[in-house]
Amino acid sequence: MTPDVESQLQRLNVRLDRERRARIEAETIAEKGLRELFVRQQELLLLESIAEAANSAGSLADAMGLALDRICQFTGWPVGRLALVDWPEHGPPVVRATGLCNPSASDRLAAVRQALDRTATTGEAGMAGLVAETRQPAWMDDLRDAPAYAALAGVAPDDIRAVAAFPVLAGTEVAAVLEFVGGPDFELTDELRAVMSQVGTQLGRIVERERARAHLIDAFNDPLTKLPNRAFFLRELGRALRRTRQTPEFQFAVLFVDLDGFKVVNDSLGHGAGDDLLAQIAQRLIDSLRRRPLAVISGQAPTDGPAGPTVARIGGDEFTILLDQIHQPEDALRVARRIQQNLATPFQVAGQELYASASIGVAMGDVGHLTPENLLRDADVAMYRAKSLGKGRCELFDETMLRRAAAQLQLETDIRHALVRNQLRLLFQPVVSLAEGRVIGLEALLRWEHPERGQLAPADFLQIAEDTGVILTFGEWTITEAVVQLRRWQQALPGGERLSVAVNLSARQCLEPDLLGIIRRISHLADVPPGTLRIELTDAHGDQDYDALGRVIGALNDLHVPVALDDFGTRHVSLTALAELPVQAIKLDRAFLSVLGTSARTRTVTSGVVGLARQLGVEVIAEGVESPAEVEQLLAAGCQIAQGYYFSPPVEAEQVPSTLARVVQRWSGIEL
Ligand code: C2E
Ligand code: CA
Ligand code: CA
């Protein structure tokens, strides 16, 4: 070969070489572009499918399961799981296993799956804990190096070596961690970081949405009975009202159900038993409906259309029911009666049989109601009416109830001013000793001179006075007024120094810590002889604490204030009260007199009670004596002291002196 040819060949070679390199380079570049494009496309598909999972999946678990599957398909990692992260007030985040792994992981790796999910609950949370604290992805080439993964290392086949974990961010906080195992060639590239960070943000939105939903459920649910609460109920009422406005044929009703005497259960058996009873009542209410009621399953209630009935607990022992598909009030009343029937079967609470009953108010939803609150109030007013008529009743709302309730409310306002506006009066009724033929004392009876309604008797206002608490100041006023009058009569009337005055006090008033101080002060100031101020305990037959009442009565006795048990015989616990309380007298209710003449049997009961009292050293005073025949029967039964219209009705203080004279005259006219 000539040197010429040789150099030409060499050049050619160089050129070919250069071209080949260029071609390889070009091919490499093209291939890389294609590959990147492919990867990019896969990433997009992954993100898209995760977004789709987030939107379509029914629950958090479903969405996360789908997402884990997609990630594993994309990366080729065989197993992935989700752990939730809790953030306590103090201390490091707590990683909590969820049991959630990629559902299509091969069965061969079941043990790996379980071991991976257990790492969160084994003291050290491994990578998940690290990710929760740093908010950054983390990975490890060989899980056999880490004690946290000892269990995993024990079961993992040789082709599983690496662990990687990625944060799921809700806002700026790590709400969950995705954790995967992979092969020995596992590598956390920048691309992978980027795509997993986007996945984490996507999934974070699902977690946030789930949390918001849980909050909504909290906000609309009564945790005790699992029924919807007041807020939810009002929302449903609003919906129903809107519907009647649009479709006048649509009719609905509201039932307001209030248990009778629930407080007694709570007080006597404890709050746990009370809670138990409420939960059982909730179930009976649901069972009383023909269709399943609406539950708070999601924050979003259906916007319109038929929703079904709603049962809610809106307060302590108050339940409300919205009944749709109601055609007339009678339909709602029928449901109310069915509820009352269902409640009549005894409940098993704290190993005891309990009987419950409820007062129910019914209000029809109609266009006249502007707000859900108004409608609920009407049902409440009807319930209140039902309750005031006795237990276990149901009443349909009408306008007169509202007026009555408004008047009641006005009365509550008025009664707060009654004392300072000088509207209280005391009337006095003579108490007569049948044996001695003289008036031995007077019972003070309260009246309220209402500016518009005239003179009101205790029955019209005592309950309100108790409810509003003014009863306590009324009591102080009554004692003072009675003692001041007594002092006058003791000084002015012939033989008056032996007169006594009896003041009525409710058990609640007696338990008032100030009572003894008040009595001590007043008797001291007025300087009346010991024993001439007396107290009548008016409602000591209920569910009171006899120990506490007994101590107060004992203290009153120490102050030389005799105490009488009022309305004796009107309740079946009268004898218990007599046995437990150190009283000096009982006041036989008029009910005793009215049966006294009817049979030998009732006469025996009355004389028995009188004899029993005498054995206890307790005085018996008969109330409500209206005729000479009743006086004779009393005397025959051994009762020596009486009061009633027959002797005198209650009179004003100024009339007391003349009344006393007349009573004595009348009394001496009776033939025995
Ligand atoms: P009570 O202590 O049993 O008082 C007797 C009631 O019977 C009085 O009614 C009296 O007017 C009425 N009465 C008197 N004689 C006869 C009669 O012959 N026949 C009939 N049918 N009734 C007669 P009033 O004044 O309306 O008092 C009702 C209740 O209110 C009292 O019953 C008492 O429990 C309570 N009360 C009265 N004043 C006070 C008070 O200042 N404080 C408290 N806490 N309760 C009071
Ligand atoms: Ca009385
Ligand atoms: Ca009485």
Side-chain angles (χ1 to χ4, degrees):
M1 243 193 285
T2 61
D4 244 18
V5 174
E6 208 166 298
S7 72
Q8 267 186 349
L9 268 178
Q10 225 169 16
R11 269 206 304 278
L12 189 65
N13 268 342
V14 170
R15 213 179 79 201
L16 279 176
D17 209 38
R18 200 171 53 226
E19 274 177 12
R20 195 174 61 241
R21 268 207 312 273
R23 204 175 54 242
I24 289 173
E25 224 168 82
E27 273 172 6
T28 318
I29 289 173
E31 202 181 295
K32 186 168 175 243
L34 264 181
R35 224 182 61 103
E36 271 178 4
L37 207 65
F38 174 74
V39 170
R40 190 76 207 116
Q41 209 176 7
Q42 292 293 99
E43 285 176 8
L44 281 176
L45 275 177
L46 171 67
L47 290 173
E48 232 167 65
S49 65
I50 284 177
E52 198 187 296
N55 291 328
S56 63
S59 70
L60 179 73
D62 288 350
M64 290 296 179
L66 269 171
L68 283 167
D69 257 352
R70 297 284 192 277
I71 298 168
C72 288
Q73 273 160 22
F74 174 77
T75 55
W77 297 330
V79 176
R81 63 104 173 212
L82 177 93
L84 286 177
V85 179
D86 294 329
W87 292 89
E89 289 272 350
H90 307 286
V94 178
V95 177
R96 189 154 49 87
T98 59
L100 250 176
C101 291
N102 52 326
S104 47
S106 86
D107 288 343
R108 185 175 72 91
L109 297 175
V112 173
R113 208 162 52 199
Q114 284 160 14
L116 178 64
D117 195 48
R118 265 206 308 273
T119 56
T121 47
T122 57
E124 247 186 290
M127 306 281 263
L130 187 67
V131 169
E133 294 215 43
T134 60
R135 287 198 265 154
Q136 296 298 322
W139 67 299
M140 181 191 287
D141 284 329
D142 201 331
L143 54 87
R144 288 171 303 190
D145 298 340
Y149 294 100
L152 190 54
V155 292
D158 281 343
D159 59 344
I160 286 184
R161 280 284 166 271
V163 193
F166 305 88
V168 171
L169 290 171
T172 55
E173 177 191 290
V174 178
V177 174
L178 296 168
E179 199 172 14
F180 302 90
V181 292
D185 54 349
F186 185 91
E187 201 188 333
L188 188 60
T189 60
D190 288 347
E191 289 84 10
L192 204 51
R193 272 176 190 273
V195 76
M196 287 306 292
S197 138
Q198 295 196 47
V199 168
T201 312
Q202 287 260 19
L203 295 180
R205 287 204 192 102
I206 309 182
V207 175
E208 260 176 314
R209 205 164 58 215
E210 182 64 23
R211 280 188 187 163
R213 212 171 75 106
H215 268 135
L216 262 185
I217 290 184
D218 280 355
F220 279 133
N221 239 329
D222 163 40
L224 174 65
T225 58
K226 309 281 182 288
L227 289 178
N229 64 10
R230 182 187 201 97
F232 186 88
F233 191 78
L234 284 173
R235 223 172 62 147
E236 286 305 299
L237 275 193
R239 239 157 49 76
L241 281 174
R242 275 197 299 283
R243 232 182 120 196
T244 17
R245 259 171 236 138
Q246 284 153 9
T247 330
E249 312 80 77
F250 174 75
Q251 283 216 40
F252 69 102
V254 175
L255 267 53
F256 199 112
V257 182
D258 189 290
L259 302 184
D260 300 322
F262 176 69
K263 195 176 166 296
V264 183
V265 176
N266 251 351
D267 290 352
S268 55
L269 297 179
H271 285 266
D275 286 357
D276 189 5
L277 180 63
L278 288 175
Q280 292 189 44
I281 298 244
Q283 193 52 50
R284 295 254 179 116
L285 293 180
I286 291 173
D287 295 344
S288 307
L289 302 179
R290 293 267 187 256
R291 287 173 303 141
R292 269 196 77 73
L294 208 62
V296 191
I297 17 161
S298 74
Q300 252 101 40
T303 43
D304 251 311
T310 307
V311 181
R313 184 169 80 118
I314 63 163
D317 61 345
E318 295 171 341
F319 296 85
T320 48
I321 301 173
L322 188 162
L323 293 173
D324 60 351
Q325 297 188 5
I326 287 287
H327 303 293
Q328 60 223 3
E330 184 47 39
D331 297 344
L333 287 169
R334 203 175 313 120
V335 177
R337 283 191 288 267
R338 191 156 66 226
I339 289 174
Q340 280 164 335
Q341 261 166 25
N342 281 353
L343 292 181
T345 319
F347 292 81
Q348 286 294 332
V349 174
Q352 292 197 30
E353 264 199 357
L354 280 191
Y355 286 84
S357 75
S359 303
I360 304 181
V362 179
M364 297 298 290
D366 53 48
V367 282
H369 289 102
L370 292 177
T371 63
E373 285 82 2
N374 278 353
L375 180 51
L376 195 59
R377 179 208 57 205
D378 286 357
D380 190 0
V381 165
M383 184 284 293
Y384 194 78
R385 175 77 187 142
K387 193 152 281 210
S388 68
L389 294 173
K391 287 180 177 182
R393 296 186 51 125
C394 79
E395 287 292 314
L396 181 67
F397 173 81
D398 68 54
E399 291 294 325
T400 58
M401 288 182 186
L402 201 57
R403 279 197 291 280
R404 202 181 291 127
Q408 185 84 357
L409 205 66
Q410 183 60 47
L411 213 55
E412 277 184 22
T413 316
D414 293 347
I415 204 165
R416 292 177 200 278
H417 302 125
L419 189 62
V420 286
R421 293 187 183 156
N422 201 19
Q423 292 164 352
L424 296 185
R425 301 273 174 281
L426 281 186
L427 297 186
F428 296 90
Q429 185 175 39
V431 179
V432 179
S433 161
L434 300 178
E436 299 169 55
R438 69 175 185 97
V439 173
I440 56 173
L442 296 135
E443 176 176 2
L445 294 160
L446 191 58
R447 296 292 180 267
W448 175 17
E449 303 287 349
H450 192 279
E452 281 113 43
R453 298 170 160 217
Q455 189 177 75
L456 299 181
D460 303 322
F461 65 85
L462 267 187
Q463 188 57 51
I464 303 177
E466 285 262 350
D467 293 348
T468 51
V470 297
I471 188 81
L472 301 175
T473 52
F474 281 19
E476 187 171 358
W477 177 85
T478 306
I479 297 169
T480 313
E481 182 70 12
V483 170
V484 167
Q485 294 294 355
L486 174 66
R487 171 100 184 112
R488 273 192 208 137
W489 298 321
Q490 283 177 341
Q491 288 176 342
L493 299 178
E497 60 283 352
R498 286 192 295 166
L499 269 183
S500 67
V501 74
V503 171
N504 291 284
L505 293 179
S506 69
R508 158 139 188 243
Q509 287 176 283
C510 280
L511 291 174
E512 188 53 24
D514 273 358
L515 178 76
L516 295 172
I518 291 169
I519 290 183
R520 203 180 288 122
R521 254 193 330 273
I522 295 170
S523 342
H524 180 74
L525 276 177
D527 190 28
V528 292
T532 58
L533 167 65
R534 303 170 65 104
I535 299 294
E536 293 186 9
L537 188 54
T538 59
D539 62 350
H541 307 274
D543 43 338
Q544 281 100 15
D545 178 352
Y546 282 159
D547 282 348
L549 268 181
R551 279 194 296 277
V552 174
I553 296 172
L556 285 169
N557 293 167
D558 291 344
L559 291 177
H560 305 289
V561 176
V563 179
L565 195 54
D566 212 340
D567 306 324
F568 190 88
T570 50
R571 285 190 241 150
H572 66 278
V573 288
S574 286
L575 280 178
T576 317
L578 175 59
E580 303 254 334
L581 301 175
V583 292
Q584 282 68 50
I586 55 176
K587 297 203 70 172
L588 271 196
D589 192 79
R590 168 155 179 79
F592 259 93
L593 284 183
S594 53
V595 297
L596 198 52
T598 55
S599 72
R601 201 180 166 97
T602 54
R603 272 194 293 278
T604 310
V605 171
T606 309
S607 43
V609 167
V610 174
L612 180 73
R614 188 168 294 151
Q615 276 186 339
L616 289 170
V618 166
E619 211 171 57
V620 180
I621 304 161
E623 296 185 296
V625 181
E626 293 182 354
S627 67
E630 286 170 350
V631 174
E632 281 175 44
Q633 280 149 5
L634 279 174
L635 283 170
C639 178
Q640 306 277 0
I641 309 171
Q643 70 184 90
Y645 294 163
Y646 173 66
F647 303 106
S648 162
V651 296
E652 304 272 350
E654 300 79 68
Q655 297 170 310
V656 164
S658 59
T659 304
L660 295 196
R662 203 173 51 242
V663 169
V664 175
Q665 257 171 20
R666 151 161 295 195
W667 175 241
S668 40
I670 294 178
E671 312 230 337
L672 289 177

